[in-house]
Amino acid sequence: MDAISKFVSDNESLFHSELCEMLRFKSISADPTCFDECVKMADWLVAHFLNMGIRAETFDVPGKHPVVFAQTPRILDAPTLLIYGHYDVQPVDTGTSEGEKTNGTADAEVSEKSWRTDPFEPVFKDGLLYARGASDDKGPVFAHIAAAKYWMQAESRPQINVKFFLEGDEEGGNEEVRQFVRDHTDLLSCDYLVLSDTAQFAPGQPSLSCGLRGLAAYELTIHGPNRDLHSGTFGGAVTNPCNALVNLLSALVDEDGRVLVPGFYDEVARLSPEEARQLQILPFDESSFYANLGVASGVGEKDFSVYERLRTRPTFDIHGISAGYQGEGSKTVIPSEASAKFSFRLVPHQSPEKITESLRARLASLLPPGVRMTLDVHSEAKGVAIDTSLPCMKAAARAVEYGFGRSPLFVREGGAVPIVTTFKEALTPNIMLLALSLQTDNIHGPNEHFTMADFYRGIKTAAKLWQELAALDLL
């Protein structure tokens, strides 16, 4: 057994315990009542780095939670690796399903849509560690921290400088953190950057992400009469904001999911021959995909496979609609206003700013008389494409093969990590998206979990990556 593997094996219990400590912090960035918990989480990270002999401190971000910055003892004329992650977590939604509650009391058997254990008291069962943030992103973050512990205790470490940049607002909206990056390029300067806020292709199929979809998220509100109206007295003469909202949303997409905003596809590039070849060799089973979701099939652009739609094509989705009466029974009103939250997932080269401009014009042209609209932009982030031929990507692939015992697949991610665009523009194009979590980890949902075998493999991979990147500088 080599030195890295032995170190991880000898310290499994310790790392398990320390990760559990980290998971007990209720660091929900979107919840103002959890602000102090986020601060305590940041302080815990600083203390952990200092105990390893790594200089660390927090920086305030106006209106947000502190960022943690740490740096290993500097080696002159050596390349620098920046490790990014986030310590904040999603809110906990009990996710009560229909039929789960009867007369205000919960049934004895908890449904799959609810937490079965305390989200902030980690539970280990059948090789999985259950807790909010276990997979997104505390488990993967701590794998990199554990790798740093190995190299700080080793007789000699690779000739590479390593920095950590851990934020507390990724889940709650982090434009201010992205501005912090732009304003602190000297502090964060690096030759390479790695993050593990993505997912492996499948269990037993480690992967490196070579692309991320972007995001343009909105809230559309239709304002009508100055109060709710009786539909019998006023219906047929007054424009119903709810009707108008539904009609506007339906006019943004056709029955196959193709977006009808003018110019939306102008910057959508075709896949390169290599990307197309990678797609063909990926072991994706469409029937199993739908069966796992409990549905028979789905919809999407007819000329593209299900996997292509998931990872390489832009989309439109409505996330929530609010209007009128939502209580028990019937109340026949014309609501005074109606609103919906929706978003477009974007692919590399699409401009969210141009799409927002075109969307606003499209909605205005379709708006019926008797109502007015407000379109609020919640998020705009470009998609990212990463060149798999970069030397750092090849180094990362070797590290993954060492840690997981199998060569990684190169895949595109369906989700967005907006700060990656900021890193690419402000710091370095040499970005590695090293996935440790699984798509089945139920991130953002109840019973989030992390496969501990992948946690230990991730530590080995992260430690090996330092070695591989240092070796690039010697070539």
Side-chain angles (χ1 to χ4, degrees):
M1 183 182 294
D2 65 86
I4 294 176
S5 297
K6 185 177 187 307
F7 172 80
V8 175
S9 178
D10 290 347
N11 289 278
E12 283 188 3
S13 295
L14 174 63
F15 293 146
H16 181 114
S17 175
E18 290 176 332
L19 175 56
C20 287
E21 282 186 49
M22 192 176 179
L23 292 169
R24 291 189 180 99
F25 288 96
K26 196 175 181 181
S27 51
I28 303 173
S29 56
D31 185 349
T33 67
C34 294
F35 185 88
D36 288 346
E37 280 289 294
C38 291
V39 173
K40 290 177 182 177
M41 177 77 266
D43 290 341
W44 184 91
L45 287 165
V46 168
H48 202 81
F49 282 120
L50 293 174
N51 287 337
M52 290 192 294
I54 297 176
R55 180 172 63 85
E57 59 187 310
T58 59
F59 287 85
D60 291 333
V61 178
K64 293 292 182 177
H65 305 96
V67 299
V68 176
F69 176 77
Q71 185 171 15
T72 58
R74 181 162 176 74
I75 301 174
L76 293 176
D77 300 322
T80 298
L81 167 66
L82 178 65
I83 298 169
Y84 165 81
H86 63 90
Y87 63 79
D88 66 317
V89 300
Q90 279 279 324
V92 175
D93 184 353
T94 56
T96 304
S97 64
E98 172 132 9
E100 184 183 335
K101 289 191 175 180
T102 305
N103 297 325
T105 61
D107 291 339
E109 184 177 349
V110 181
S111 85
E112 288 297 316
K113 294 185 179 180
S114 295
W115 281 91
R116 296 189 292 272
T117 60
D118 183 342
F120 294 100
E121 184 50 52
V123 172
F124 181 65
K125 183 180 180 181
D126 299 330
L128 306 176
L129 188 62
Y130 289 85
R132 172 57 90 220
S135 178
D136 184 21
D137 182 36
K138 292 182 180 180
V141 163
F142 198 75
H144 287 280
I145 294 174
K149 187 168 188 175
Y150 167 74
W151 285 117
M152 293 303 293
Q153 294 181 358
E155 290 185 7
S156 62
R157 66 180 178 90
Q159 295 297 291
I160 187 168
N161 298 299
V162 179
K163 300 176 181 178
F164 284 83
F165 178 66
L166 309 179
E167 64 151 303
D169 289 284
E170 197 275 342
E171 301 290 12
N174 66 350
E175 176 53 40
E176 292 84 354
V177 178
R178 294 165 68 184
Q179 188 59 47
F180 180 93
V181 173
R182 300 183 191 102
D183 293 341
H184 293 81
T185 53
D186 289 343
L187 178 75
L188 302 173
S189 62
C190 58
D191 300 287
Y192 309 107
L193 189 146
V194 66
L195 61 110
S196 294
D197 200 9
T198 54
Q200 299 178 61
F201 179 77
Q205 291 281 352
S207 59
L208 286 166
S209 301
C210 57
L212 295 167
R213 286 200 288 197
L215 180 68
Y218 310 93
E219 183 168 2
L220 173 64
T221 303
I222 304 301
H223 309 272
N226 59 11
R227 62 189 184 276
D228 289 356
L229 303 176
H230 187 293
S231 65
T233 303
F234 294 94
V238 175
T239 304
N240 186 319
C242 196
N243 292 4
L245 176 68
V246 171
N247 290 335
L248 286 171
L249 294 174
S250 66
L252 297 180
V253 65
D254 68 16
E255 61 184 11
D256 293 323
R258 189 168 176 85
V259 176
L260 300 178
V261 173
F264 186 83
Y265 293 93
D266 288 355
E267 297 168 307
V268 176
R270 287 186 172 274
L271 297 181
S272 69
E274 176 58 23
E275 286 179 311
R277 187 189 70 81
Q278 284 283 341
L279 283 179
Q280 292 173 356
I281 65 175
L282 292 175
F284 182 80
D285 186 323
E286 295 184 4
S287 298
S288 297
F289 169 78
Y290 284 121
N292 183 56
L293 300 175
V295 296
S297 61
V299 298
E301 295 177 278
K302 293 180 179 179
D303 295 334
F304 299 90
S305 68
V306 172
Y307 187 80
E308 286 177 300
R309 296 177 212 158
L310 289 170
R311 302 297 183 98
T312 72
R313 299 294 297 171
T315 65
F316 166 78
D317 282 293
I318 301 168
H319 310 302
I321 296 177
S322 178
Y325 179 68
Q326 302 292 335
E328 295 290 336
S330 175
K331 185 179 181 183
T332 54
V333 298
I334 294 173
S336 63
E337 68 176 33
S339 65
K341 297 179 188 292
F342 65 95
S343 71
F344 301 110
R345 291 288 175 174
L346 309 178
V347 296
H349 309 300
Q350 282 185 294
S351 166
E353 294 81 10
K354 288 183 180 179
I355 287 170
T356 296
E357 182 180 350
S358 185
L359 169 67
R360 199 179 297 277
R362 169 77 168 164
L363 291 171
S365 71
L366 297 172
L367 192 69
V371 293
R372 59 186 177 84
M373 75 172 197
T374 302
L375 182 67
D376 294 321
V377 181
H378 285 184
S379 178
E380 290 181 330
K382 296 177 183 177
V384 175
I386 297 174
D387 184 356
T388 58
S389 68
L390 289 172
C392 66
M393 284 290 280
K394 294 180 179 180
R398 292 191 293 271
V400 170
E401 184 170 7
Y402 165 81
F404 284 80
R406 184 170 183 175
S407 298
L409 299 171
F410 291 98
V411 300
R412 283 200 188 192
E413 287 281 332
V417 185
I419 200 168
V420 173
T421 301
T422 306
F423 288 143
K424 191 173 183 180
E425 293 173 348
L427 297 177
T428 177
N430 296 316
I431 296 173
M432 297 155 285
L433 305 177
L434 197 164
L436 303 182
S437 302
L438 292 170
Q439 297 178 55
T440 53
D441 286 349
N442 221 32
I443 65 171
H444 294 200
N447 305 307
E448 179 181 350
H449 53 271
F450 193 34
T451 302
M452 292 306 286
D454 283 344
F455 173 57
Y456 302 127
R457 295 182 187 112
I459 298 172
K460 293 169 59 178
T461 300
K464 187 67 172 178
L465 181 63
W466 291 32
Q467 205 171 51
E468 291 289 343
L469 292 175
L472 290 181
D473 202 50
L474 301 176
L475 297 178

